[in-house]
Amino acid sequence: MRDVVVIGAGMTKFGELWGKSIKDIFVEAALKAIEDAGVKQIDSMYVGAMSSGLFVGQEHLGAVMADYLGVTPIPATHVESACASGGVSFRQAYLEVASGASDIVLAGGVEKMTDGADVTEALATAADQEYEVYQGVTFPGLYAMIAHAHMKEFGTTRKQLAAVAVKNHRNGAKNPNAQFRSDITIDQVLNATMVSDPFGLLDCSPVSDGAAAVIVTTMEIAKKLKKKPIKVIASAQASDTIALHSRPSITTLGSVVNAAKKAYKMAGLKPSDIDLCEVHDCFTIAEIVVSEDLGFFKKGEGGKAAEKGLTAIGGKIPINTSGGLKSKGHPVGATGIAQIIELYEQLNGKAGDRQVKGARIGMAQNMGGSGASCVIHILEGGK
Amino acid sequence: MITARYHREIPQRYRLEAGKCTKCGYVAFPPRLVCPKCNTKKFKPIVLKDEGKIITYTVIRVGPDKFSKETPYAIGIIELNDKLRLTAQIAGVVDFDKLKIGQKVKLVFRKIQDDGKAGIHMYGYKAVLV
């Protein structure tokens, strides 16, 4: 396997991009990434998108985007793994370059969620249609059930959940591409309109449009282009039961535990070696559970850690310096790539006001559904 | 939902029919072709008992269009007395604040949704507090 590096990144602002189509935003992000990398052509591309068929009635996104990006006839593949589509798109590009099949690959992700679809229903297709969704469950509902179980088992409080949202908004306010660039307070989170008990609106990531893309290549090409190489030192993926009720524990995400185990082994690292981590905080409880399942905190301690500021910039392990899904926005298929972009900026020392001092090793954890799939990458900055 | 899709789930939704692995005893609901525990491919049909308890729950206040007229409604993960778990609405709850993990429930036969286009009523199980 060859060493694989990221040499370019581009994304649109995340938010309600009513003036632009799904093609517009993907091409905008892809062109920025190609320009940032300084490459003349790409050999292949992946487009991560969760459910463009339901959101905008357009599937076959590989070919659609290659056409509008003006790169036909290169191979172009649409990758779907629910909200982990972007992370899996990156993993496919990584594998393609590592194997020697291609030298320069674009890994992208996109979602257009504000063009009129029933978003709740479209997102719910990532759960078990016959035995969860049929009964009337929603995604906030599934994660809310994880939250209630976590509160009962470990004494996690609504205030601790709220601390996650407050911290992520504080970080997102410093991210020019974030959907919400405003601070919020614990009281605002606690008093927000209820969505699915115990979640109020501010415990939930928003409905967003957005696209993100990175250029993946070999160490040799990066050196020729005189790029500081941000090396992919682990790429791991795992799956779990589609239905939340089929798991032995409601408060542990098996796919996260298993993907993390593989990723740490591949990189030869342990949790304390990670300088910053982007996690899939689709709901506040998700960040807490994932921060435990990645090994940053003991099981049941994630809520307290968030409340104490251990996950803030300057804390023990800065989590979601980008603002996370909560504040940066969550155009589902683009999220996994946007996480890689945050690591790319941090490890290049170009994250501006939200820069983690001396950041050298970053992790991105992206998951689909209520955790039925998880993909984890670890990136290392060059010296 | 087309009638065929609805019809083939009837044994599970109306009668709680499951499959029990002939080798390790794992109970699959709905029935599966492969046992996730031991990979055996032989199951015998069984019918689950309809009593259990709430493992976790939520009250859905913003629902998909199909359920939006019913909000707020409670939904939970129910563990039946034979240890199998499933997701079901918790019907007939008057005061949501009194819902608790561990409460005993019984599964009952109820209408779950309507299909506007095909016009079929769709039924299944809901939990009620006992």
Side-chain angles (χ1 to χ4, degrees):
Chain A
M1 299 275 272
R2 305 192 289 182
D3 281 346
V4 176
V5 298
V6 181
I7 57 162
M11 65 184 282
T12 63
K13 192 180 184 320
F14 282 4
E16 292 167 328
L17 310 178
W18 288 322
K20 294 173 184 176
S21 73
I22 189 168
K23 295 170 190 159
D24 294 338
I25 57 177
F26 184 86
V27 170
E28 181 185 329
L31 288 176
K32 275 187 200 167
I34 290 168
E35 189 188 339
D36 183 38
V39 292
K40 288 198 176 63
Q41 91 290 328
I42 52 174
D43 301 328
S44 164
M45 63 185 269
Y46 289 89
V47 183
M50 178 193 149
S51 195
S52 53
L54 290 174
F55 285 124
V56 294
Q58 178 72 65
E59 290 289 10
H60 203 186
L61 284 193
V64 170
M65 297 311 177
D67 178 11
Y68 275 76
L69 186 57
V71 294
T72 51
I74 68 163
T77 310
H78 172 195
V79 176
E80 187 275 322
S81 196
C83 311
S85 298
V88 175
S89 157
F90 182 74
R91 179 168 155 79
Q92 293 308 308
Y94 162 82
L95 292 172
E96 189 166 330
V97 173
S99 71
S102 294
D103 289 333
I104 304 173
V105 180
L106 181 141
V110 65
E111 214 76 60
K112 190 87 178 61
M113 299 168 72
T114 70
D115 274 9
D118 178 351
V119 173
T120 308
E121 188 177 81
L123 289 174
T125 59
D128 184 315
Q129 272 300 316
E130 275 87 18
Y131 291 91
E132 290 183 314
V133 181
Y134 179 79
Q135 310 293 340
V137 87
T138 60
F139 260 98
L142 286 166
Y143 277 92
M145 289 199 283
I146 295 177
H148 266 155
H150 205 272
M151 292 162 105
K152 171 83 174 170
E153 196 172 344
F154 303 112
T156 302
T157 64
R158 273 205 73 201
K159 228 172 152 183
Q160 291 169 352
L161 298 177
V164 171
V166 170
K167 183 259 301 172
N168 288 352
H169 269 257
R170 195 188 313 134
N171 293 346
K174 296 169 185 160
N175 183 349
N177 288 321
Q179 182 164 1
F180 301 126
R181 301 194 60 201
S182 56
D183 277 315
I184 54 171
T185 64
I186 295 273
D187 281 346
Q188 280 175 306
V189 184
L190 296 181
N191 295 321
T193 306
M194 291 303 284
V195 172
S196 193
D197 306 9
F199 294 154
L201 191 61
L202 295 177
D203 284 282
C204 309
S205 56
V207 171
S208 319
D209 304 325
V214 293
I215 304 295
V216 174
T217 188
T218 66
M219 188 65 92
E220 287 66 36
I221 292 174
K223 279 180 185 161
K224 266 186 218 158
L225 292 167
K226 297 194 168 59
K227 285 276 174 182
K228 183 175 164 186
I230 304 297
K231 190 174 160 192
V232 184
I233 57 171
S235 174
Q237 190 178 341
S239 54
D240 199 351
T241 67
I242 184 75
L244 180 62
H245 60 236
S246 300
R247 301 187 194 149
S249 165
I250 307 295
T251 54
T252 294
L253 297 167
S255 66
V256 179
V257 173
N258 286 309
K261 215 178 278 176
K262 284 188 211 166
Y264 286 127
K265 190 177 174 198
M266 188 173 173
L269 297 174
K270 51 190 186 304
S272 59
D273 296 322
I274 308 295
D275 295 324
L276 76 147
C277 187
E278 287 287 298
V279 310
H280 196 92
D281 61 318
C282 44
F283 299 94
T284 47
I285 189 65
E287 179 165 320
I288 288 172
V289 170
V290 169
S291 71
E292 297 164 353
D293 291 345
L294 290 176
F296 297 133
F297 306 107
K298 274 190 207 148
K299 198 70 215 168
E301 300 284 317
K304 284 174 212 152
E307 199 171 31
K308 283 184 197 157
L310 302 181
T311 55
I313 294 172
K316 180 188 170 198
I317 170 77
I319 289 181
N320 286 331
T321 56
S322 67
L325 285 50
K326 173 70 204 79
S327 158
K328 183 181 54 193
H330 184 28
V332 280
T335 284
I337 300 290
Q339 291 180 326
I340 299 290
I341 293 179
E342 178 66 11
L343 300 185
Y344 176 75
E345 291 186 354
Q346 287 279 355
L347 300 178
N348 266 310
K350 289 180 178 165
D353 291 345
R354 58 186 202 284
Q355 181 66 44
V356 174
K357 273 183 199 157
R360 203 174 64 81
I361 295 186
M363 176 187 264
Q365 178 271 340
N366 182 205
M367 62 187 169
S370 54
S373 57
C374 177
V375 57
I376 294 179
H377 289 96
I378 305 179
L379 273 59
E380 184 180 24
K383 283 161 199 154
Chain B
M1 185 180 287
I2 66 159
T3 315
R5 187 173 180 187
Y6 177 68
H7 190 264
R8 67 176 180 251
E9 310 291 342
I10 281 178
Q12 284 72 53
R13 299 216 172 110
Y14 287 22
R15 297 188 293 277
L16 294 175
E17 286 186 16
K20 188 170 186 173
C21 173
T22 53
K23 192 177 170 198
C24 76
Y26 176 85
V27 178
F29 179 81
R32 296 173 176 234
L33 298 177
V34 183
C35 175
K37 292 283 174 218
C38 71
N39 279 358
T40 296
K41 296 177 191 69
K42 267 190 171 171
F43 287 88
K44 63 171 188 187
I46 61 162
V47 172
L48 302 174
K49 294 197 178 72
D50 57 7
E51 289 180 349
K53 62 177 178 183
I54 298 172
I55 290 295
T56 185
Y57 69 94
T58 183
V59 180
I60 294 189
R61 295 173 192 276
V62 179
D65 288 353
K66 224 179 272 173
F67 288 88
S68 60
K69 284 181 189 152
E70 294 175 40
T71 55
Y73 54 92
I75 197 159
I77 292 180
I78 309 301
E79 184 172 283
L80 300 178
N81 288 346
D82 50 17
K83 300 296 171 203
L84 184 124
R85 292 176 179 182
L86 47 75
T87 301
Q89 281 193 31
I90 306 165
V93 181
V94 181
D95 184 355
F96 292 126
D97 291 339
K98 288 189 177 154
L99 266 177
K100 280 192 180 68
I101 289 172
Q103 272 175 308
K104 292 201 170 153
V105 293
K106 186 178 166 64
L107 295 184
V108 292
F109 186 72
R110 289 281 191 277
K111 190 171 88 176
I112 308 291
Q113 11 170 325
D114 277 320
D115 191 318
K117 282 182 190 162
I120 59 171
H121 302 307
M122 293 184 273
Y123 296 87
Y125 45 82
K126 287 188 183 179
V128 290
L129 301 175
V130 290

